[in-house]
Amino acid sequence: MDSWVRFSAQSQARERLCRAAQYACSLLGHALQRRGASPDLQKQIQQLESHLSLGRKLLRLGNSADALESAKRAVHLSDVVLRFCITVSHLNRALYFACDNVLWAGKSGLAPRVDQEKWTQRSFRYYLFSLIMNLSRDAYEIRLLMEQESSACNRRLKGSAGGVPGGLETGGPGGPGSPGRGLPQLALKFRLQVLLLARVLRGHPPLLLDVVRNACDLFIPLDKLGLCRCGPGIVGLCGLVSSILSLLTLIYPWLRLKP
């Protein structure tokens, strides 16, 4: 298994480059179709996209073992929520890659009787579950960081001004219970939460990058499973953006969210 993990790590950059090229072809094909390009050119772009997809499946042959190893490491995390989200995500990724290997065997002619539609739907379901777990983990980490940042701000305010004005957190004058002041107070609290969220994400680039990447990837299985029809243009754009962000985590390892 260790040899497969090393093979997966070596081919990871090539796979992500192929992924970026594949979704760039999808986006280009959609643009050419809208502009009325020649059918021959559109067919060439579609064939290139298909070849890149098949090549990616070959490069991902060892990724199931890599995902299982990551799941084994995640089981030992001390935080219960992180342990659950990361472990379940890696297990779903392992099943997704296993289905992907079956699809590669079918498309390459090694297993011609493989039901491509059934295994494609199955693989994208596992992919969707993995992304949901990733976004749940991101939301949990954002909540923890926002609580820490809010506590730090309150301590600074109490230390400098002797306390927080009663109108913000209490039901005193100007509080939510006062006539005519409830809606502005809620708007102020919402604005403060948005500013706090922006501050947390700006201060933690790996978390921001992971949120954007997972959110972009989410449109791909939603479209393939028919849960949210986005169209090839949106899928191509989201796939290209997430691929570029994934490449950034390889070029700059400090941008990779840990654990």
Side-chain angles (χ1 to χ4, degrees):
M1 181 168 290
D2 291 339
S3 60
W4 274 114
V5 172
R6 286 194 296 270
F7 169 78
S8 176
Q10 291 171 0
S11 61
Q12 197 174 59
R14 291 191 291 269
E15 190 274 331
R16 293 185 184 182
L17 282 172
C18 287
R19 187 179 192 266
Q22 177 191 344
Y23 285 110
C25 288
S26 177
L27 184 59
L28 178 60
H30 176 70
L32 291 174
Q33 184 179 11
R34 292 194 62 181
R35 295 193 176 188
S38 64
D40 290 339
L41 180 58
Q42 294 184 40
K43 185 177 179 180
Q44 289 176 357
I45 296 297
Q46 290 175 356
Q47 288 177 346
L48 178 58
E49 180 184 355
S50 178
H51 292 325
L52 288 169
S53 176
L54 188 61
R56 284 182 59 214
K57 294 182 188 302
L58 176 62
L59 292 172
R60 290 202 298 255
L61 284 178
N63 285 16
S64 290
D66 188 25
L68 288 175
E69 286 294 314
S70 298
K72 286 169 60 178
R73 290 193 297 270
V75 169
H76 302 289
L77 292 174
S78 58
D79 190 294
V80 177
V81 177
L82 287 179
R83 181 167 67 238
F84 174 78
C85 291
I86 296 175
T87 302
V88 173
S89 173
H90 285 312
L91 290 176
N92 277 283
R93 283 180 64 244
L95 293 170
Y96 163 69
F97 289 133
C99 294
D100 200 61
N101 295 340
V102 174
L103 287 170
W104 173 80
K107 290 184 178 181
S108 62
L110 296 177
R113 295 185 180 181
V114 169
D115 189 336
Q116 296 284 331
E117 182 63 25
K118 181 182 75 174
W119 283 96
T120 298
Q121 292 291 308
R122 187 174 294 171
S123 68
F124 278 114
R125 279 197 294 270
Y126 290 130
Y127 186 31
L128 178 61
F129 293 152
S130 176
L131 290 173
I132 290 173
M133 287 294 101
N134 290 341
L135 288 170
S136 300
R137 176 258 183 98
D138 292 338
Y140 175 71
E141 296 219 27
I142 288 173
R143 186 180 71 85
L144 290 180
L145 291 171
M146 288 181 66
E147 289 178 352
Q148 294 173 7
E149 186 67 25
S150 179
S151 298
C153 288
N154 287 336
R155 286 195 298 269
R156 287 194 294 268
L157 286 173
K158 289 178 181 179
S160 60
V164 181
L168 289 179
E169 295 184 346
T170 68
S178 302
R181 295 297 301 273
L183 189 59
Q185 191 70 25
L186 288 175
L188 176 61
K189 287 187 175 181
F190 177 75
R191 182 184 177 188
L192 291 174
Q193 288 297 312
V194 171
L195 292 174
L196 183 60
L197 174 62
R199 182 172 181 174
V200 164
L201 292 177
R202 186 172 63 248
H204 299 82
L207 181 57
L208 173 61
L209 187 146
D210 198 68
V211 170
V212 175
R213 183 168 58 87
N214 287 321
C216 288
D217 281 337
L218 190 65
F219 288 97
I220 299 172
L222 288 177
D223 181 78
K224 299 297 183 181
L225 294 172
L227 300 175
C228 178
R229 293 296 183 183
C230 307
I234 298 297
V235 171
L237 177 61
C238 290
L240 179 60
V241 170
S242 67
S243 300
I244 293 173
L245 294 178
S246 296
L247 286 170
L248 284 178
T249 62
L250 294 178
I251 299 172
Y252 304 104
W254 65 273
L255 286 175
R256 188 182 183 90
L257 185 63
K258 297 175 182 179

